[in-house]
Structures are given as structure tokens and as C-alpha cells.
């Protein structure tokens, strides 16, 4: 089922090698970059575009723009707030740079409007379960990333429980995939994501990580997002997100080696270098 080219609107993503997705949070309360792009509660657009330009120079294949913080305990935003945060940045990025842009949203109106402005991909941590999201995503004809989350951001880290975490996450994604296909989304345009850190303990995350091959075995491209997450802090005993660079790069590389197609990261340059040295060793084996 996996073809090496994923059509993303008018653009294409080459899946024959791991892709790097650079994270751009246009939220004043993001967990890892803490609203760096904000001054006096206002987004600094030129600073944001500078950060994105650097990510692209560093080798990002996709820029993921999100206007809702989904960190544990984050407060919710209205659709209008999300539109106001995401659309101006999306529009400027598409006008200025030749890149794929994905929109990190669960909100139908944001999917529709982002697609109209030229977004290439929909990335939904709620796997198109919000009202109207499935139909809105189907209308765009863009690829969708379906991510697993247990509960909601406000409550997800309150004692997450599973009987068999891998089986349950796979079953959830299979159910969401079927709903997508019923809604008219082409199976080839479905990307799956186990959702590291979303309603999972460290033990759950590690079990899922060692089962990445089972997600890859579904035939769908797999997206992995572990960058700066608490699981790395827990593994290394590091409280602060800015201490988690090396752990994030190592884990992203391991995910790629297990077959992950897209790596969602804050640190594009470092991740890209790790992937590139690995890819060079593969070439030398030929
Ligand atoms: C993920 C995401 C992830 C996908 C976030 C953070 C929290 N989208 N959006 N996968 N995480 N597909 O960056 O730590 O893991 S927001």
C-alpha cells in the first residue's frame, strides 16, 4: 500500500527516505517553546517567519503549524481564536516559501480554511473525531495524520490505563481509518501516529516505541512525535525541555530506523544530521 510519493494537494512528499516535520507552535502557552514567538501576547510574525526559514534551510520537508496547545492540562481555544492564530502564518509561509505546510488542528473550520489557503496536510491529534472534522478533512482531499490519544489534553495524564496498549492503539487507528474511508478519504492518504505522550505513561510509550514496526506493518506511513517530550525527561532524569535535545534526536533516529516515515521535531538541523549520517551508511552498504 505504501507508495514512495504522497500527493499533498499540489505538492508531493517523497517517502522513500525519512521526512522531517518542523514544529511551529503559534500558541502563547506551548509546553516546549513557551510562547517564544510572542511579545506582549502578540505573535511576532517576522520572527516566526525567520524561525521557519531557518528550519527550511536546515532541511525540513514539512512545516507543521498549530494554534492549539495540547500539552497536558492546556486550556481550550475557540475555533475563531485558532483561525486567527493559524491562518495569517500559514498564508505568509505559503506566499514566501516553497514548502509543504501541515496544519495541526482538530477543528473543522480550520481544516477547511487552511486547505483553501494552500495547506498540504492535516495533522489531527484527535484523529478527526471532533464534530464535522471527518467531512471537512474529506472535502479538502489532503492527506490526514490520525493520532491516538486517550482522553483529552486536560485529563490525559491522569492515570492512563490500557490492558494491551499496542493492540488498543492499533485498533483505535484501524477504526478511525475505516471511518475516514467511509467518509471518502483515500486509504493512500492516511498517515498513522501512535501518539507518544498523549494519555500514556513512560511504560506505555516504551512499549509502543518497540512496536513501531507493527504500525509500519499496516502499510500506512507512520508519523512519530517524541521531540522534547516528558518521556525523554523521564528516561534521562531531565526536568527542562531545553535539556532534551540529544535524547530527542536519538529517539527520532531510532524511530526512523524502525520505519517511521515522518519525524515531527523542534530541532530540525540536529535531527536531519542524524538521519543523514545514518542514510549515508546505508548507501555505503549497497
Ligand atoms: C504530536 C502532534 C504528535 C502528531 C503534538 C508536542 C505536543 N501531532 N502534535 N504527533 N504532538 N501527529 O509537540 O509535544 O506526537 S503537540
Amino acid at each position: 500500500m505504501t507508495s514512495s510519493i504522497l500527493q499533498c494537494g499540489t505538492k508531493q512528499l517523497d517517502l522513500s527516505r525519512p521526512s522531517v516535520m518542523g514544529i511551529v507552535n503559534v500558541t502563547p502557552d506551548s509546553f516546549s517553546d513557551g510562547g517564544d514567538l510572542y511579545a506582549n501576547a502578540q505573535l511576532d510574525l517576522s520572527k516566526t517567519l525567520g524561525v521557519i526559514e531557518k528550519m527550511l534551510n536546515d532541511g525540513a520537508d514539512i512545516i507543521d503549524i498549530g494554534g492549539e496547545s495540547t500539552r497536558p492540562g492546556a486550556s481550550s481555544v475557540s475555533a475563531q481564536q485558532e483561525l486567527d492564530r493559524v491562518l495569517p502564518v500559514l498564508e505568509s509561509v505559503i506566499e514566501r516559501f516553497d514548502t509543504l505546510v501541515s496544519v495541526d488542528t482538530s477543528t473543522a473550520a480550520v481544516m477547511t480554511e487552511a486547505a483553501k489557503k494552500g495547506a498540504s496536510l492535516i495533522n489531527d491529534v484527535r484523529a478527526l473525531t471532533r464534530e464535522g472534522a471527518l467531512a471537512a478533512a474529506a472535502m479538502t482531499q489532503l492527506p490526514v495524520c490520525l493520532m491516538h490519544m486517550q482522553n483529552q489534553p486536560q485529563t490525559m495524564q491522569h492515570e492512563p490505563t490500557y490492558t494491551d496498549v499496542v493492540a488498543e492503539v492499533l485498533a483505535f487507528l484501524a477504526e478511525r481509518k475505516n471511518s475516514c474511508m467511509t467518509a471518502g478519504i483515500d486509504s493512500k492518504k492516511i498517515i498513522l501516529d501512535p501518539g507518544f505522550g498523549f494519555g500514556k505513561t513512560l511504560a506505555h510509550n516504551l512499549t509502543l516505541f518497540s512496536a513501531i514496526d507493527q504500525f509500519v506493518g499496516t502499510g500506512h506511513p507512520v508519523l512519530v512525535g517524541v521531540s522534547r517530550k516528558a518521556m525523554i525527561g523521564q528516561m534521562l532524569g531531565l526536568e527542562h525541555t531545553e535539556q532534551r535535545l540529544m535524547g530527542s534526536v536519538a529517539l527520532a533516529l531510532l524511530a526512523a530506523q524502525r520505519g517511521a516515515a515522518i519525524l515531527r521535531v523542534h530541532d530540525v538541523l540536529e535531527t536531519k544530521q542524524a538521519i543523514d549520517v545514518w542514510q549515508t551508511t546505508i548507501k555505503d552498504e549497497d
Side-chain angles (χ1 to χ4, degrees):
M1 213 193 299
T2 313
S3 131
S4 63
I5 296 292
L6 179 64
Q7 193 66 41
C8 301
T10 57
K11 297 188 184 293
Q12 296 186 328
L13 182 65
D14 177 7
L15 294 172
S16 63
R17 54 171 184 79
S19 295
V20 174
M21 173 187 268
I23 302 170
V24 179
N25 286 312
V26 288
T27 57
D29 58 350
S30 152
F31 98 103
S32 60
D33 38 24
D36 281 358
L37 302 173
Y38 281 76
N40 306 320
Q42 274 294 309
L43 180 78
D44 183 336
L45 183 60
S46 79
K47 187 171 176 187
T48 305
L49 292 172
V51 167
I52 293 171
E53 183 169 29
K54 177 173 184 325
M55 284 182 172
L56 292 170
N57 289 336
D58 289 346
D61 302 285
I62 309 165
I63 298 296
D64 189 45
I65 302 176
E68 179 208 9
S69 173
T70 47
R71 78 190 153 95
S75 52
S76 53
V77 286
S78 69
Q80 193 57 51
Q81 255 175 323
E82 223 191 309
L83 286 165
D84 292 345
R85 287 177 182 177
V86 169
L87 292 183
V89 182
L90 181 86
E91 200 164 23
S92 307
V93 173
I94 289 171
E95 188 183 283
R96 234 161 271 221
F97 308 115
D98 180 25
T99 179
L100 283 90
V101 178
S102 91
V103 58
D104 190 343
T105 187
S106 301
T107 309
V110 178
M111 294 173 190
T112 304
E113 295 308 314
K116 278 191 206 156
K117 301 233 181 268
S120 298
L121 204 142
I122 293 166
N123 174 26
D124 185 3
V125 298
R126 295 181 184 79
L128 306 178
T129 55
R130 265 208 191 146
E131 193 178 345
L134 201 52
M139 277 293 289
T140 68
Q141 297 190 28
L142 294 175
V144 295
C145 177
L146 305 175
M147 196 199 81
H148 174 272
M149 164 162 47
Q150 188 178 82
N151 294 320
Q152 291 294 311
Q154 290 76 10
T155 56
M156 66 187 180
Q157 292 307 104
H158 301 170
E159 296 189 37
T161 45
Y162 300 85
T163 308
D164 180 338
V165 65
V166 175
E168 287 169 49
V169 173
L170 280 168
F172 170 83
L173 293 176
E175 183 275 316
R176 295 313 301 150
K177 170 190 165 173
N178 288 337
S179 298
C180 284
M181 290 170 67
T182 306
I185 297 174
D186 183 350
S187 160
K188 289 198 289 294
K189 293 200 166 160
I190 297 175
I191 300 165
L192 301 181
D193 182 344
F196 289 100
F198 283 86
K200 283 132 192 143
T201 63
L202 175 60
H204 296 140
N205 287 318
L206 293 176
T207 304
L208 282 169
F209 199 86
S210 60
I212 287 177
D213 61 326
Q214 292 187 52
F215 291 85
V216 173
T218 61
H220 292 276
V222 172
L223 189 152
V224 166
V226 289
S227 188
R228 300 186 191 171
K229 284 188 179 171
M231 65 185 288
I232 292 165
Q234 290 158 353
M235 282 189 242
L236 299 176
L238 298 173
E239 191 187 337
H240 304 290
T241 53
E242 63 273 18
Q243 300 171 301
R244 300 178 186 164
L245 170 64
M246 302 308 282
S248 298
V249 172
L251 212 51
L253 177 61
L254 289 167
Q257 291 185 330
R258 285 159 163 77
I262 305 172
L263 307 164
R264 183 178 178 280
V265 307
H266 299 88
D267 304 289
V268 172
L269 178 70
E270 293 83 353
T271 308
K272 186 78 182 142
Q273 286 181 347
I275 299 294
D276 285 351
V277 289
W278 168 49
Q279 292 285 304
T280 310
T281 66
I282 298 177
K283 273 189 218 116
D284 288 348
E285 280 167 13
D286 292 343

